[in-house]
Amino acid sequence: MEALVVKFKSPNPRAREDSENYYLGIDEKHERQRLGDIDSEPTVDLSIIVPAYNEEERLPVLLNDVRDYVRNRRAKEPGFSYELIIMDDGSRDKTSEVAMEFARMHGIRELKAVKHVINRGKGGAVTQGMLCAQGRYMMFCDADGATRFSDIDELLEKAKMSEKDGLAIAIGSRNNQALSGTVVER
């Protein structure tokens, strides 16, 4: 995979509804908590943003992959920290509820479920997720589990190698898997 450093200025996204400034997690109080801000100092190593629209059936596959990845990564690097931000983009199914139930069942305190009032589209969900991310590195992945989550290590390495002035971007594509012979079928 190739990595590319890009610096740009994007237009301001649509403003969030008040309720979209909060997330649900599995804290002791079971209360909504205020989202972070991309402009603040990072509080975790990695932010994983998952745009999700009507993904109640497919989301658990990805959540299992992320859980396995984190378990393996922490076995090698005990101090590894992350946040998993599920951006429910106005789903009509139980996407958020499935995410929260998974978090409760597996004790994943790092999962944050954000529910958009209206569907903003994948780009809007990714943008809003990135704007509230607290990670030193931020990534997004699709909720359908179409790729192995553990493949992100290669992307993170490329980003670290190409970092300049605190900025880096690494882009992975399933299309490249066909060329490299690492196609994953589910």
Side-chain angles (χ1 to χ4, degrees):
M1 284 185 220
E2 294 298 316
L4 171 70
V5 176
V6 178
K7 186 174 182 178
F8 64 94
K9 181 176 177 157
S10 65
N12 290 330
R14 283 183 251 157
R16 292 184 187 136
E17 297 290 327
D18 185 56
S19 65
E20 297 172 340
N21 290 311
Y22 298 88
Y23 70 89
L24 283 176
I26 61 166
D27 67 332
E28 306 78 43
K29 298 176 186 172
H30 302 290
E31 294 177 358
R32 295 183 323 151
Q33 308 223 4
R34 187 139 185 92
L35 288 167
D37 186 297
I38 193 172
D39 291 326
S40 60
E41 287 296 313
T43 59
V44 295
D45 297 320
L46 178 64
S47 293
I48 305 159
I49 292 91
V50 181
Y53 180 72
N54 294 338
E55 294 287 357
E56 71 178 316
E57 304 239 343
R58 299 189 299 179
L59 186 59
V61 173
L62 174 70
L63 296 176
N64 272 314
D65 283 352
V66 171
R67 183 178 54 121
D68 292 345
Y69 170 81
V70 169
R71 186 179 318 137
N72 293 334
R73 176 98 184 247
R74 284 183 170 163
K76 295 182 259 182
E77 188 183 333
F80 174 71
S81 60
Y82 76 107
E83 64 181 346
L84 176 57
I85 305 171
I86 307 298
M87 297 301 297
D88 182 340
D89 195 25
S91 295
R92 294 183 178 149
D93 68 0
K94 296 183 178 184
T95 296
S96 289
E97 291 89 342
V98 166
M100 292 306 301
E101 182 59 31
F102 189 93
R104 279 190 281 284
M105 188 181 328
H106 299 285
I108 302 174
R109 296 192 173 283
E110 297 86 352
L111 189 141
K112 301 174 179 181
V114 180
K115 177 104 172 154
H116 281 167
V117 174
I118 60 167
N119 180 279
R120 295 170 181 262
K122 182 177 179 179
V126 170
T127 299
Q128 292 299 323
M130 291 288 177
L131 289 173
C132 67
Q134 300 286 283
R136 168 134 170 73
Y137 291 94
M138 295 173 271
M139 61 155 306
F140 82 89
C141 64
D142 293 337
D144 63 7
T147 56
R148 285 185 312 247
F149 192 80
S150 60
D151 289 344
I152 69 158
D153 283 338
E154 187 175 350
L155 284 173
L156 288 171
E157 278 309 307
K158 294 290 186 182
K160 289 175 185 176
M161 290 176 6
S162 66
E163 192 169 331
K164 183 174 179 174
D165 297 327
L167 300 173
I169 187 168
I171 302 169
S173 170
R174 286 183 284 209
N175 290 338
N176 290 341
Q177 292 173 340
L179 298 174
S180 68
T182 61
V183 176
V184 176
E185 293 183 25
R186 295 204 181 228

